[in-house]
């Protein structure tokens, strides 16, 4: 007896697109078979014509709890995530208080339990003085260790080279880095201030948070990782130049991997006059050539993971001048639709998208029993209609901040249903009744 049967689905999984029926029981995929139509089930859905993907695992989001909940919170942002086909997220430590010790981590798990519509894990943040917390971290208590090797939103810059060396030497689990060299940025900011005063055009952002700033910082991260054979994942790559840090081909066995974010695969420098502060983020959206080179690297394996860096700020906050408007944009609700637009345009295959947003994040972070359509794995699933459209309107947004850089755009796909641990989290434009998100466990 199944809890739910999905009949006539087109599965996208492990490099294949194929027809099958899927039986779900006790939160997990029980059976994948060619014909389950006569099997007994509490609920049956004929999903002919729809594609069934593993739910997206987003390894980089900011859900703003605790302390910054006027921008977003776990309940609102996880609702937007499941509406966008994201069934698992890994959340960042630049909140208030900072997530820099075991106690702050546990507080976040408690906040998410019973309130998060998607599965969750949290990063331990590094600071200039929490090496003991890093060394003694329980590997089940965090998805990874986040190191801001460049200042961004929140006061989390780790800039002591000695401390960085020790972090890379002793980190018990994967290190993820934000790489932008702060002294370089400060020099560029000073030059822009001298030229423009307070009215710096937003189009200057990629020149201030420059290619050189990215390269300098990510090169140092790679140097440290090689020195200590640390497992390093460099977040949100924005420059073609930095792709030289990574090897093409499958992710298996790599000690250094790179991530690209959906907005850096979508927007370019040409969008600043239209969108201004809405696409101000760190690292900056750069040239169209960078975007296109990163997309190519997603295809050839130099970039192994695609995520969002969902970072909501209120509309009012975003109205400030260049130095006042905070960096970051809300993305989880349309990340997968944006990638599926790349599929429609012939730029990415469905198999590649699933590899980069489902399989590889599960592998890189050693997530237990998720990220694949496999019998015995949790039923974190998304049903996608590649023939239906999604027009982004303010009314359709579930973010607490209530705006999106994609407003007015019509995506060429629709997220029809999202299942989290076998429960309906999103279906036909409505959130599900229950809260199904669970804390992640890890194969480590
Ligand atoms: O644009 C960004 N916003 N980059 C970051 O590194 C932080 C994030 C935020 O928290 O707002």
């Amino acid at each position: 007896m199944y809890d739910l049967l999905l009949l006539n689905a087109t599965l996208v999984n492990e490099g294949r697109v194929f027809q099958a029926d899927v039986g779900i029981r006790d939160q997990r995929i029980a059976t994948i078979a060619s014909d389950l139509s006569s099997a007994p089930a509490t609920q049956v859905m004929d999903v002919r014509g729809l594609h069934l993907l593993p739910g997206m695992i987003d390894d980089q989001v900011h859900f703003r709890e605790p302390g910054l909940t006027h921008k977003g919170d776990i309940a609102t942002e996880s609702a937007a995530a499941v509406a966008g086909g994201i069934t698992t997220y890994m959340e960042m430590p630049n909140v208030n208080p900072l997530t820099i010790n075991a106690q702050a981590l546990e507080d976040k798990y408690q906040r998410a339990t019973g309130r998060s519509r998607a599965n969750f894990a949290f990063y331990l943040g590094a600071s200039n003085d929490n090496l003991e917390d890093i060394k003694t971290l329980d590997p089940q208590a965090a998805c990874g260790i986040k190191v801001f090797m460049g200042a961004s939103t929140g006061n989390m810059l780790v800039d002591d080279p000695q401390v960085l060396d020790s972090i890379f030497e002793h980190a018990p689990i994967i290190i993820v880095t934000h790489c932008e060299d702060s002294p370089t940025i400060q020099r560029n900011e000073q030059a822009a201030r001298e030229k423009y005063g307070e009215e710096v055009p937003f189009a200057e952002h990629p020149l201030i948070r420059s290619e050189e700033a990215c390269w300098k910082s990510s090169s140092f991260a790679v140097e440290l990782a090689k020195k200590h054979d640390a497992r390093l994942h460099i977040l949100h790559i924005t420059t073609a130049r930095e792709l030289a840090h990574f090897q093409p081909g499958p992710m298996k066995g790599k000690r250094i991997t790179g991530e690209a974010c959906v907005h850096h695969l979508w927007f370019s420098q040409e969008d600043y006059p239209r969108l201004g502060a809405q696409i101000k983020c760190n690292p900056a959206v750069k040239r169209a050539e960078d975007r296109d080179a990163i997309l190519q690297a997603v295809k050839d394996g130099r970039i192994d993971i695609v995520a969002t860096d969902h970072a909501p700020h209120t509309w009012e906050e975003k109205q400030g001048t260049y130095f006042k408007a905070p960096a970051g944009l809300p993305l989880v609700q349309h990340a997968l639709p944006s990638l599926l637009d790349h599929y429609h345009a012939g730029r990415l295959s469905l198999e590649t998208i699933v590899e980069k947003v489902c399989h590889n994040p599960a592998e890189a972070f050693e997530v237990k029993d998720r990220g694949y359509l496999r019998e015995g794995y949790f039923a974190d699933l998304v049903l996608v209609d590649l023939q239906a459209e999604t027009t982004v309107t303010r009314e359709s947004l579930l973010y607490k901040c209530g705006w999106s850089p994609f407003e007015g755009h019509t995506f060429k796909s629709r997220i029809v249903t999202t299942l989290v641990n076998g429960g309906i989290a999103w279906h036909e434009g409505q959130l599900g009744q229950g809260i199904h998100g669970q804390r992640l466990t890890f194969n480590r």
Side-chain angles (χ1 to χ4, degrees), residues 219-238:
S219 300
F220 186 35
V222 167
E223 183 190 319
L224 288 172
K226 286 187 174 158
K227 178 176 170 193
H228 296 295
D229 192 30
R231 176 69 183 90
L232 168 66
H233 181 52
I234 306 183
L235 301 173
H236 41 43
I237 292 296
T238 57

Side-chain angles (χ1 to χ4, degrees), residues 360-419:
N360 282 355
E363 297 292 344
F365 292 85
E366 305 167 286
V367 175
K368 189 164 165 29
D369 295 350
R370 302 186 192 276
Y372 293 90
L373 304 179
R374 285 181 184 164
E375 293 176 358
Y377 275 53
F378 285 102
D380 293 342
L381 307 173
V382 53
L383 279 164
V384 173
D385 189 339
L386 294 174
Q387 262 80 52
E389 297 184 328
T390 304
T391 297
V392 184
T393 60
R394 273 217 173 178
E395 302 70 57
S396 64
L397 299 173
L398 297 177
Y399 307 132
K400 193 184 258 188
C401 69
W403 65 274
S404 162
F406 295 119
E407 276 168 53
H409 182 76
T410 297
F411 291 106
K412 294 189 168 68
S413 310
R414 192 154 59 89
I415 308 298
V416 178
T417 305
T418 305
L419 299 178

Side-chain angles (χ1 to χ4, degrees), residues 323-378:
F323 289 109
K324 296 219 174 78
L329 51 158
L331 290 156
V332 285
Q333 200 169 334
H334 302 108
L336 193 50
S338 83
L339 292 172
L340 293 171
D341 267 22
H342 289 300
Y343 160 74
H344 284 290
R347 291 189 285 265
L348 291 175
S349 69
L350 293 176
E351 295 92 321
T352 298
I353 293 171
V354 164
E355 181 192 4
K356 305 293 170 171
V357 306
C358 309
H359 307 332
N360 282 355
E363 297 292 344
F365 292 85
E366 305 167 286
V367 175
K368 189 164 165 29
D369 295 350
R370 302 186 192 276
Y372 293 90
L373 304 179
R374 285 181 184 164
E375 293 176 358
Y377 275 53
F378 285 102

Side-chain angles (χ1 to χ4, degrees), residues 62 64 94 148 152-153 178 236 281-282 309 311 313 327-328:
H62 302 263
R64 308 304 194 196
N94 56 335
F148 279 91
S152 191
T153 309
H178 178 128
H236 41 43
C281 57
N282 302 335
D309 194 11
H313 298 283

